[in-house]
Amino acid sequence: MSILPGRDWWTGLPPAAGAAVMATGIISVGLYLTGYEWVSLVALVVAGVLWLVLAADFTSRLLSDRGRFRAEADTPAALTAVAATTVIGARLSQQGWQTVAAVLLAVAALLWPGLLFNVVGHWRRRMPGGAFLGCVATQGLSVLAATLAAVDHQDWLAMAALATFCLGLLLYLAALFHFDLREVVGGAGDHWVAGGALSISALAGSKLTASPVWTGSAHTALRAVTPALLALSLVWYLVLLAAELRHPRPRYDIRRWATVFPLGMTATACLSVAEPAGIAWLRPLGEVLLWIAVGAWLLTFAALVASHVTAGRAAPGR
């Protein structure tokens, strides 16, 4: 019995599937930082294959199904295309493939303004956690730009990274105003992005703090803001974890990949902030949180497979 529903299964994937690339990619980044390079490489390959599948689907819809493309481009999940591209780019930069990472930064930067404008233009008063994807996508650009700026010693990229970092924080505040707090106890998975957006902001801050471009008051401000963002993300982590334990939601939903991503991102942020902030205990904390994220990835993947098997058995004529 096939787990996937037919040869053209990939054409039916919703934009929210991009969170699976983000989750797998950031776990690959975290594994690399902790010295598990081969396991990290396997995760990178998985994330890369998923990214290629979704990129093909994205292009197919753009060229042959404009109506569906426009409808989906207005939803917050569309911004996973930008965020996933930057996460893959950051991991490829770790691998030493700077040219490919730079190409992915260019692709993400081209997609970002149009998608962000469409998504923000369709915000409503009470929204799920996907509202924070505007911040995530913007901070993803900041992380990748700052990473490449450090490697290639490009000051203009570092300045662009700082600009997107600041814009990302503004987008977080705007999304927080629109976020429906009832999602904390009833969300399908993407409510975790409320904390994950702060984690990727802290990661971007750590990259900027480590840059020699910023000195004086700018460096002092970054050194203060970055740990504060991480602390707030850890508070969100505890609140959301307590809500999950109090109100379990065991049924599989594709938005559960948007839970795994913040788990991995918080771990990676702890690992990355530890050195530039001079907070040594963040590294062991990040290692513990990383393995929690790996466990969540495996559980979510198992739930995905189980849901397809169950759907296949229930289908008429089988």
Side-chain angles (χ1 to χ4, degrees), residues 81-152:
V82 176
T85 302
T86 60
V87 170
I88 295 294
R91 178 60 186 89
L92 290 176
S93 179
Q94 287 179 323
Q95 204 65 28
W97 298 348
Q98 309 306 337
T99 301
V100 181
V103 170
L104 290 179
L105 175 60
V107 170
L110 287 172
L111 292 174
W112 171 69
L115 289 175
L116 182 64
F117 180 81
N118 284 341
V119 169
V120 172
H122 288 81
W123 271 0
R124 58 184 187 277
R125 181 63 184 89
R126 291 181 175 179
M127 294 191 65
F132 294 99
L133 285 169
C135 171
V136 170
T138 305
Q139 297 293 18
L141 289 172
S142 180
V143 169
L144 185 50
T147 299
L148 291 173
V151 173
D152 297 329

Side-chain angles (χ1 to χ4, degrees), residues 127-183:
M127 294 191 65
F132 294 99
L133 285 169
C135 171
V136 170
T138 305
Q139 297 293 18
L141 289 172
S142 180
V143 169
L144 185 50
T147 299
L148 291 173
V151 173
D152 297 329
H153 307 290
Q154 297 288 338
D155 289 358
W156 71 272
L157 262 183
M159 293 176 184
L162 181 62
T164 50
F165 172 74
C166 294
L167 178 58
L169 296 181
L170 293 176
L171 286 169
Y172 185 88
L173 293 175
L176 186 62
F177 178 77
H178 289 83
F179 180 53
D180 186 353
L181 287 174
R182 293 174 297 181
E183 289 287 304

Side-chain angles (χ1 to χ4, degrees), residues 1-44:
M1 179 189 303
S2 174
I3 292 175
L4 298 172
R7 290 187 306 172
D8 297 328
W9 59 272
W10 57 275
T11 61
L13 290 173
V21 182
M22 296 160 59
T24 310
I26 199 59
I27 285 175
S28 178
V29 171
L31 289 169
Y32 182 89
L33 291 175
T34 50
Y36 295 92
E37 295 187 23
W38 284 105
V39 184
S40 172
L41 192 57
V42 170
L44 173 60

Side-chain angles (χ1 to χ4, degrees), residues 31-290:
L31 289 169
Y32 182 89
L33 291 175
T34 50
Y36 295 92
E37 295 187 23
W38 284 105
V39 184
S40 172
L41 192 57
V42 170
L44 173 60
V45 171
V46 173
V49 170
L50 289 173
W51 184 87
L52 289 172
V53 168
L54 292 173
D57 188 24
F58 184 94
T59 305
S60 174
R61 293 179 195 183
L62 176 62
L63 296 177
S64 61
D65 194 350
R66 293 291 184 89
R68 182 179 176 184
F69 179 86
R70 284 193 293 268
E72 293 182 343
D74 294 339
T75 64
L79 286 166
T80 62
V82 176
T85 302
T86 60
V87 170
I88 295 294
R91 178 60 186 89
L92 290 176
S93 179
Q94 287 179 323
Q95 204 65 28
W97 298 348
Q98 309 306 337
T99 301
V100 181
V103 170
L104 290 179
L105 175 60
V107 170
L110 287 172
L111 292 174
W112 171 69
L115 289 175
L116 182 64
F117 180 81
N118 284 341
V119 169
V120 172
H122 288 81
W123 271 0
R124 58 184 187 277
R125 181 63 184 89
R126 291 181 175 179
M127 294 191 65
F132 294 99
L133 285 169
C135 171
V136 170
T138 305
Q139 297 293 18
L141 289 172
S142 180
V143 169
L144 185 50
T147 299
L148 291 173
V151 173
D152 297 329
H153 307 290
Q154 297 288 338
D155 289 358
W156 71 272
L157 262 183
M159 293 176 184
L162 181 62
T164 50
F165 172 74
C166 294
L167 178 58
L169 296 181
L170 293 176
L171 286 169
Y172 185 88
L173 293 175
L176 186 62
F177 178 77
H178 289 83
F179 180 53
D180 186 353
L181 287 174
R182 293 174 297 181
E183 289 287 304
V184 172
V185 296
D190 58 354
H191 54 293
W192 278 83
V193 185
L198 287 174
S199 296
I200 193 172
S201 297
L203 178 59
S206 73
K207 298 293 185 183
L208 291 166
T209 303
S211 171
V213 173
W214 309 113
T215 58
S217 58
H219 183 267
T220 301
L222 286 168
R223 190 177 172 87
V225 169
T226 298
L229 292 171
L230 182 58
L232 289 173
S233 75
L234 289 171
V235 170
W236 264 116
Y237 193 111
L238 293 174
V239 169
L240 293 168
L241 179 59
E244 292 279 356
L245 295 174
R246 180 67 179 83
H247 304 277
R249 284 148 271 184
R251 187 174 181 178
Y252 174 76
D253 189 293
I254 196 169
R255 286 168 290 184
R256 268 305 177 192
W257 291 107
T259 297
V260 182
F261 170 72
L263 294 177
M265 181 54 74
T266 303
T268 302
C270 287
L271 294 169
S272 299
V273 170
E275 183 176 348
I279 308 175
W281 58 265
L282 283 176
R283 185 165 183 85
L285 175 62
E287 291 175 357
V288 171
L289 295 180
L290 177 62

